[in-house]
Amino acid sequence: MEEAKSNQAMLRICGFIVDKRNLFFLIFGILAIFSAFSRNWVSVENDMAYYLPGTTETRQGLDLMEEEFVTYGSISVMVANVSYDQGESIKEGIEKIDGVFSVNFDDSSEYYNNGSAKLAITFDYDEKDDRCLEAQDRVKEYLDGYDYYLITTLGDVEAEMINDEMKVISVIVVVIVLSVLLLTTQAYAEIPVLLITFGGSAILQMGTNFVFGTISFVSDSVTIVLQLALSIDYAIILLNRYKEEHALYEPREAIIIALSKAIPEIAGSSLTTIGGLIAMTFMQYKMGPDMGIVLIKAILLSLVGVFLLMPGVIMLFANLMEKTQHKNFIPQIPFVGKFAYKTRYIIAPIFFVLIVAGYMISSRCNYVFGDSTVTTPIENDMQHAEKLMEENFGATNLVAMMVPTGNYEAEKQLINELESRDEVDHCQGLANIEALNGYTLTDKLTPRQFSELIDLDYEVAKLVYAAYAINDEDYAKAINGIESYSVPLIDMFMFVKQEVDEGYVTLDDELMDTLNDAYEQMNFGKKQLKGENYSRILVYLTLPEEDEETYAFLQEMHTIAEKYYPDGKVLLCGNSVSQYDLKNTFSRDNTVVNIMSILVVLVVLLFTFKSAGMPVLLIIVIQGSIWINFSCSTVLQQNMFFLSYLIVSSIQMGANIDYAIVIASRYTELRETMTRPEAIIDTMNMSFPTIVTSGSMLALAGITIGKLTSNVAIYNIGQTLGRGTIISIIITMFVLPQILLVGDAIIAKTAFVMNMPIKTKEATGLMRVDGIVRGHINGNVMGTMHAVVRGDISAYVEAGDITPLSEEDMAELDKMAVIEEKTNPVKAEEEKEACDDEK
């Protein structure tokens, strides 16, 4: 009875969706307009280090630098085909540009080589200040006419380049989807139905990302393409159901019945995809949860589009779909099923050997954590500039070291020891930056030395030093030994400037100019290198960014620093440190993603097939496909970006398992009435259209992404997702059938369907009978019934129920009778008479 009520409730809900389609059109239209504005409210994060866990050294270092130091905007420019004198002239010209603080350029090979000049330009403003971009534009304008190449991290350059690339990719993917649909649909008007449905979901997806505040550049760039490839199945399932029902019913009734049947099927299919994405949310590296949640939202919105928007769109295009039917271009493939049956004892064992080999080879894949060792198929302007600059001036590997502030002597000794190492090119800190006449910023000067340095009267200098001592609460020095009292140069300059500004000290114009110039330079350096609690030392390494030797030296840098700061915390920050932290999080995330994706999908499959054997076989097939996919990278000696592996392994498990489910479900259903050879042949014929449609879209979308992007992470995602989908299609078409045939007995023996006790039912009157019935209904009946009976019933109901009909049910039967009359007039007339008599 409960099942019958549930079915009636589902039909009523579906009827409401179809009949109120104009309301849903209006809602989707309003949301689409809203999304056109709200899509611009989301912030995109381009820094991969942003997503590192808070416990990592990189994250702590970045947070500390944000709190303690000012990082001024800077750019590097290489001007090719110029003489050294021209380089000097260009430097002088750029220094005069408003907003430029300094330009580093000299005759060393670091700045002039092979007829090219390298200029390191620093602006007056924090790197997050928009005025840096304005100054950068003025530099570009000045260099117009020169053959120059610019490297910058200011603004959203990376995001803009990725957006431009994804616009091209999206257009190509749409063309691919149209081409596939032209070949796989049965009517040309089916294509706009599918595109409108997906378009509505895609617009909502983009327009709702603002709820997250900030999303990663990966999520922002590839989600729409992956949403199309992952969710197109749902629309195809509903469309195929509609066509099946439309063979018997008018469009309205057909779409209501089709929707009621498709909702459970589509929801079950989406759970496997969502299950794979849920695994990503358990990653320690937060870009995984970022992309997982965004894609899960995309899948859910696709379901909303299919369930609420698509039924109405089908009603709009129903007549046109009938008029634009064309030849079915997808052939029958009985040879695949025959091949599977003949080779079942050969292919299955070979595949299990191949799985073991794939696991062993894929475990040796060379995972990388930066973009310096992966070559993308296309090169953007920034990458081209970096490549040319590296060829002419060598690569730069900068590591920032933060140490407790206040001990200039320890800082100086630390810098000296670091610079004595072969792994270090040079260091830059307050303790080794030259200020005036050979003195560094942290050298301690007596009053006489200070007076001689800036040409200040000695007596005035002593008074200033005495004031400094009192301000520093060093009263003994102020009273008795001021002549030998020494103060770090930078601290004294800061103090004198403060005294002058407050009117306690008066200097002549020439001395005031000297003071102001020195103060500007020192204050600029201090803001970058000295914070309230920490000092920053810039260490330029001779080692590559990503290398085991580099990682080992990072640990050694800690050991060296701890000798001078045994009681304070030392932090390192830089690309090499970030990549080292990513490497450490990867091993944990890799294990978690693999285990969680398998477990979540396994649970879904257990409830889908109600057998312990079937889920295991299907997961073995798809996990084997994943291992084979990444073993290809090992064999081809391709470096694999770690994030791409984690994302693709989750998506491949969640999405490609659908292909295996399609085949397994059909086979299980057909085995009830057919022999194994017949069942597997029909299974492959029925499953091929769905697999070739969805699979080709996902594969071609992945390949397109991989061929047309300059971003390492996106390139690897597209490359491996496209290849992995092709491998999964081949294995589900030419290996899974053999495994199902061989594992037939295992599947049957591990089934755990719980049969309900046999219920004896006795009733008289007008009743609906649904289920497997054995008993007396005006005659003996044994079989599955879906009928309306008038008379006496005394029967056992093994599955289902006997439900007395209410007035409301009778009214529903009247509606259905109209439909039945057209397909079976005799039967419809008999049922109508029975209802009239009962009324």
Side-chain angles (χ1 to χ4, degrees):
M1 184 178 292
E2 292 299 325
E3 184 178 355
K5 290 181 179 179
S6 176
N7 290 337
Q8 288 296 319
M10 178 65 76
L11 285 171
R12 291 191 188 98
I13 292 171
C14 295
F16 176 82
I17 293 172
V18 173
D19 293 338
K20 302 297 182 182
R21 54 188 178 275
N22 289 332
L23 172 63
F24 289 108
F25 289 160
L26 177 62
I27 293 173
F28 269 86
I30 293 172
L31 291 176
I33 295 172
F34 173 79
S35 297
F37 295 96
S38 63
R39 60 175 298 184
N40 299 315
W41 300 346
V42 65
S43 298
V44 179
E45 179 57 60
N46 300 305
D47 185 8
M48 296 189 64
Y50 174 85
Y51 294 96
L52 280 166
T55 55
T56 59
E57 185 173 19
T58 297
R59 188 67 264 155
Q60 293 178 23
L62 290 172
D63 292 341
L64 180 64
M65 288 197 296
E66 181 75 19
E67 295 172 6
E68 297 255 336
F69 307 103
V70 174
T71 301
Y72 289 96
S74 62
I75 59 175
S76 294
V77 177
M78 187 187 90
V79 185
N81 305 313
V82 293
S83 65
Y84 176 75
D85 290 338
Q86 286 177 303
E88 278 284 358
S89 176
I90 293 171
K91 173 197 172 184
E92 293 171 1
I94 293 177
E95 284 178 330
K96 297 175 183 178
I97 294 175
D98 183 36
V100 173
F101 179 81
S102 65
V103 181
N104 290 340
F105 176 73
D106 55 40
D107 60 357
S108 67
S109 60
E110 181 182 354
Y111 289 104
Y112 186 78
N113 192 35
N114 297 330
S116 296
K118 174 185 174 183
L119 301 102
I121 303 169
T122 305
F123 299 117
D124 285 323
Y125 320 108
D126 185 287
E127 62 180 355
K128 296 180 180 178
D129 194 320
D130 289 340
R131 289 178 292 178
C132 283
L133 295 174
E134 296 171 4
Q136 178 179 273
D137 289 338
R138 288 191 286 270
V139 171
K140 290 180 179 180
E141 185 178 349
Y142 177 83
L143 292 171
D144 189 29
Y146 290 99
D147 182 14
Y148 77 94
Y149 304 89
L150 185 146
I151 298 176
T152 181
T153 57
L154 301 176
D156 295 322
V157 178
E158 183 77 9
E160 290 171 3
M161 291 180 178
I162 292 174
N163 282 335
D164 290 342
E165 292 171 358
M166 292 309 300
K167 288 176 183 176
V168 176
I169 290 172
S170 298
V171 171
I172 294 176
V173 169
V174 169
V175 173
I176 289 172
V177 169
L178 286 173
S179 301
V180 172
L181 292 178
L182 280 173
L183 295 174
T184 56
T185 55
Q186 295 175 348
Y188 294 117
E190 293 177 16
I191 297 175
V193 171
L194 296 172
L195 292 181
I196 291 172
T197 301
F198 174 75
S201 301
I203 291 171
L204 296 188
Q205 163 62 13
M206 292 186 291
T208 53
N209 281 334
F210 76 93
V211 299
F212 302 120
T214 300
I215 61 175
S216 69
F217 69 94
V218 179
S219 300
D220 182 61
S221 56
V222 302
T223 298
I224 293 301
V225 176
L226 291 181
Q227 181 186 8
L228 169 61
L230 291 173
S231 62
I232 195 70
D233 277 356
Y234 313 146
I236 292 173
I237 289 172
L238 178 57
L239 187 60
N240 288 340
R241 280 288 186 184
Y242 166 75
K243 289 187 287 186
E244 291 175 9
E245 300 300 331
H246 188 41
L248 300 174
Y249 305 113
E250 291 298 315
R252 177 184 175 276
E253 288 72 21
I255 189 57
I256 291 173
I257 297 171
L259 184 60
S260 68
K261 293 180 179 179
I263 286 176
E265 184 179 354
I266 294 171
S269 175
S270 67
L271 284 177
T272 57
T273 303
I274 292 173
L277 297 174
I278 286 174
M280 293 170 59
T281 65
F282 287 88
M283 286 172 56
Q284 193 175 20
Y285 182 54
K286 298 306 178 185
M287 191 177 284
D290 176 89
M291 189 170 185
I293 292 172
V294 172
L295 276 173
I296 289 172
K297 178 170 70 70
I299 298 299
L300 293 177
L301 289 174
S302 295
L303 295 178
V304 170
V306 170
F307 295 157
L308 300 181
L309 177 63
M310 189 174 179
V313 178
I314 289 177
M315 288 293 294
L316 285 179
F317 285 85
N319 293 332
L320 196 57
M321 282 193 285
E322 292 183 19
K323 295 177 182 178
T324 59
Q325 291 184 6
H326 59 74
K327 178 184 176 182
N328 187 358
F329 297 109
I330 299 180
Q332 295 287 298
I333 52 169
F335 62 91
V336 174
K338 294 176 182 177
F339 171 80
Y341 188 75
K342 291 179 180 179
T343 60
R344 62 191 183 282
Y345 296 118
I346 301 172
I347 297 295
I350 291 175
F351 178 67
F352 282 105
V353 172
L354 194 61
I355 287 177
V356 175
Y359 170 75
M360 296 177 65
I361 296 173
S362 65
S363 63
R364 298 178 183 177
C365 186
N366 186 32
Y367 298 107
V368 296
F369 306 90
D371 57 8
S372 59
T373 58
V374 178
T375 303
T376 54
I378 64 174
E379 192 175 71
N380 60 44
D381 293 341
M382 194 72 65
Q383 290 170 330
H384 183 58
E386 289 173 348
K387 181 180 178 181
L388 289 177
M389 203 168 291
E390 184 174 331
E391 289 174 353
N392 285 277
F393 302 101
T396 300
N397 186 7
L398 171 63
V399 174
M401 174 182 282
M402 276 75 72
V403 297
T405 194
N407 191 340
Y408 292 139
E409 186 60 33
E411 185 177 333
K412 186 173 184 178
Q413 292 176 9
L414 172 59
I415 289 175
N416 290 338
E417 182 167 351
L418 287 172
E419 289 189 326
S420 69
R421 297 297 300 264
D422 293 337
E423 296 90 347
V424 177
D425 182 71
H426 67 281
C427 298
Q428 188 177 47
L430 289 178
N432 74 335
I433 293 179
E434 185 174 334
L436 297 169
N437 295 351
Y439 290 114
T440 65
L441 289 175
T442 60
D443 282 344
K444 291 185 175 183
L445 276 66
T446 63
R448 182 167 297 282
Q449 289 172 317
F450 185 73
S451 68
E452 293 173 352
L453 177 66
I454 66 171
D455 197 22
L456 178 68
D457 182 78
Y458 177 56
E459 295 301 323
V460 175
K462 286 198 296 182
L463 290 174
V464 172
Y465 266 66
Y468 182 92
I470 293 172
N471 188 67
D472 202 34
E473 298 184 355
D474 196 348
Y475 301 105
K477 289 289 185 182
I479 297 171
N480 300 318
I482 201 66
E483 291 84 358
S484 61
Y485 185 36
S486 58
V487 178
L489 179 59
I490 187 171
D491 293 343
M492 182 51 66
F493 261 103
M494 297 295 110
F495 179 73
V496 171
K497 184 67 167 63
Q498 178 182 338
E499 294 294 293
V500 170
D501 290 343
E502 293 178 357
Y504 297 116
V505 175
T506 303
L507 303 175
D508 59 43
D509 291 343
E510 185 178 350
L511 195 54
M512 195 66 196
D513 290 339
T514 302
L515 176 66
N516 286 333
D517 290 342
Y519 174 80
E520 184 180 5
Q521 295 289 335
M522 291 182 187
N523 190 51
F524 193 82
K526 182 181 178 181
K527 286 183 177 180
Q528 295 185 85
L529 301 174
K530 187 176 186 298
E532 183 178 351
N533 302 299
Y534 278 84
S535 290
R536 179 162 59 175
I537 301 172
L538 306 180
V539 184
Y540 293 84
L541 303 180
T542 59
L543 301 170
E545 281 189 1
E546 188 168 0
D547 189 81
E548 290 301 324
E549 185 182 357
T550 306
Y551 299 152
F553 186 68
L554 293 176
Q555 300 307 306
E556 198 167 346
M557 288 174 67
H558 273 285
T559 303
I560 294 171
E562 287 165 3
K563 290 193 302 184
Y564 303 100
Y565 300 92
D567 300 324
K569 186 174 184 179
V570 176
L571 289 171
L572 302 179
C573 199
N575 287 343
S576 291
V577 184
S578 174
Q579 290 162 23
Y580 183 57
D581 286 336
L582 290 171
K583 180 181 179 182
N584 291 334
T585 62
F586 172 67
S587 56
R588 181 259 187 195
D589 284 345
N590 187 21
T591 303
V592 168
V593 167
N594 285 333
I595 292 175
M596 287 304 303
S597 61
I598 290 173
L599 286 178
V600 174
V601 172
L602 180 62
V603 170
V604 174
L605 294 181
L606 281 171
F607 286 98
T608 300
F609 291 100
K610 298 180 177 63
S611 166
M614 180 69 85
V616 172
L617 292 177
L618 298 187
I619 286 178
I620 287 174
V621 169
I622 299 302
Q623 186 61 55
S625 303
I626 294 172
W627 286 332
I628 293 171
N629 181 19
F630 288 100
S631 67
C632 292
S633 297
T634 306
V635 173
L636 296 173
Q637 297 183 336
Q638 296 172 337
N639 290 336
M640 176 56 56
F641 192 64
F642 81 103
L643 181 63
S644 304
Y645 168 78
L646 295 172
I647 291 173
V648 171
S649 59
S650 296
I651 293 176
Q652 191 174 349
M653 172 58 75
N656 294 173
I657 196 74
D658 284 348
Y659 311 149
I661 291 174
V662 168
I663 293 176
S665 299
R666 288 286 187 181
Y667 178 73
T668 303
E669 180 182 342
L670 294 176
R671 273 291 287 130
E672 295 179 1
T673 56
M674 295 182 179
T675 62
R676 286 195 296 169
E678 293 172 336
I680 202 64
I681 290 172
D682 281 5
T683 293
M684 300 315 296
N685 279 332
M686 294 177 180
S687 303
F688 182 62
T690 301
I691 294 173
V692 74
T693 303
S694 175
S696 60
M697 287 182 186
L698 184 55
L700 291 172
I703 292 170
T704 302
I705 293 172
K707 292 291 185 183
L708 297 175
T709 183
S710 59
N711 181 270
V712 168
I714 298 173
Y715 156 65
N716 266 166
I717 289 173
Q719 175 195 45
T720 51
L721 184 60
R723 184 177 65 203
T725 302
I726 292 172
I727 291 172
S728 295
I729 292 173
I730 293 173
I731 289 176
T732 51
M733 291 294 296
F734 297 99
V735 177
L736 178 60
Q738 288 88 329
I739 292 176
L740 292 175
L741 289 166
V742 173
D744 206 328
I746 297 175
I747 296 168
K749 290 179 180 179
T750 56
F752 56 84
V753 177
M754 298 295 292
N755 290 322
M756 298 298 292
I758 296 176
K759 299 173 288 185
T760 303
K761 290 283 186 177
E762 295 186 2
T764 301
L766 183 62
M767 290 146 288
R768 181 188 297 279
V769 182
D770 288 286
I772 299 175
V773 181
R774 183 168 54 208
H776 183 80
I777 305 179
N778 288 332
N780 291 318
V781 176
M782 183 174 180
T784 301
M785 293 188 66
H786 298 284
V788 174
V789 173
R790 180 180 181 278
D792 299 325
I793 296 179
S794 178
Y796 295 110
V797 182
E798 295 184 13
D801 210 341
I802 297 174
T803 310
L805 287 175
S806 64
E807 292 296 331
E808 186 177 351
D809 293 330
M810 292 178 187
E812 187 68 26
L813 282 175
D814 287 338
K815 294 180 182 178
M816 296 183 66
V818 176
I819 302 169
E820 189 67 36
E821 185 177 359
K822 296 181 180 180
T823 56
N824 194 337
V826 175
K827 182 179 177 183
E829 184 63 27
E830 291 175 352
E831 289 189 358
K832 186 174 185 299
E833 290 175 359
C835 291
D836 292 340
D837 291 343
E838 185 63 24
K839 292 178 182 178

